Amino acid sequence: MELTGPEKAVLMLLSLDEAAVTPILSELDSEEVRKLREVASLMRAVPSSALDSVYSEFVERSREAIAVPRGGVRYLRRLATRALGERLPLEFGRAE
């Protein structure tokens, strides 16, 4: 069974614990979340081997790439603000 990229993303996200998925979804924009919701609503049962393939592909691609999270500065600023209060965003600059 050949899955599309969005189908693989949905399968991976639905296989994870809610605590792991929440920060991932918070990094997506509303259009990306809408697309995942749309794909999830159209998906039917997939064999367990499909999930194994998705995990394997994820691990392989993770080994090949150096990940720089999209929105990394924004995310870092949000984390720092939670940890250190409102005084910190100026230290990280305003550019995103």
Side-chain angles (χ1 to χ4, degrees), residues 10 12 31 35-36 50 60 64 75 77 84 87 89 91:
V10 166
M12 175 69 92
E31 180 60 25
K35 176 68 174 175
L36 291 174
E60 186 62 33
E64 296 172 356
Y75 180 65
R77 186 180 302 127
L84 302 171
R87 69 183 188 280
E91 296 175 30

Side-chain angles (χ1 to χ4, degrees), residues 14 74 87:
L14 292 178
R74 182 180 66 230
R87 69 183 188 280

Side-chain angles (χ1 to χ4, degrees), residues 28-41:
L28 301 179
D29 64 38
S30 59
E31 180 60 25
E32 291 167 323
V33 173
R34 185 200 61 76
K35 176 68 174 175
L36 291 174
R37 196 172 40 239
E38 179 182 302
V39 168
S41 72

Side-chain angles (χ1 to χ4, degrees), residues 2-6 19-20 22 28 30-31 36 49-50 55 59 64 68-69 75 79 82 84 86 89:
E2 189 66 30
L3 297 173
T4 66
T22 301
L28 301 179
S30 59
E31 180 60 25
L36 291 174
S49 62
Y55 284 153
V59 169
E64 296 172 356
V68 177
Y75 180 65
L79 290 175
R82 284 183 191 164
L84 302 171
E86 293 297 325

Side-chain angles (χ1 to χ4, degrees), residues 1-76:
M1 171 178 217
E2 189 66 30
L3 297 173
T4 66
E7 289 171 332
K8 291 175 188 177
V10 166
L11 193 57
M12 175 69 92
L13 289 171
L14 292 178
S15 73
L16 299 174
D17 183 75
E18 184 177 339
V21 173
T22 301
I24 296 169
L25 289 178
S26 73
E27 290 298 311
L28 301 179
D29 64 38
S30 59
E31 180 60 25
E32 291 167 323
V33 173
R34 185 200 61 76
K35 176 68 174 175
L36 291 174
R37 196 172 40 239
E38 179 182 302
V39 168
S41 72
L42 298 173
M43 284 181 75
R44 299 295 172 236
V46 296
S48 61
S49 62
L51 184 54
D52 292 339
S53 295
V54 169
Y55 284 153
S56 294
E57 182 179 343
F58 176 80
V59 169
E60 186 62 33
R61 286 180 180 228
S62 296
R63 287 184 184 141
E64 296 172 356
I66 297 173
V68 177
R70 189 181 64 213
V73 172
R74 182 180 66 230
Y75 180 65
L76 181 58

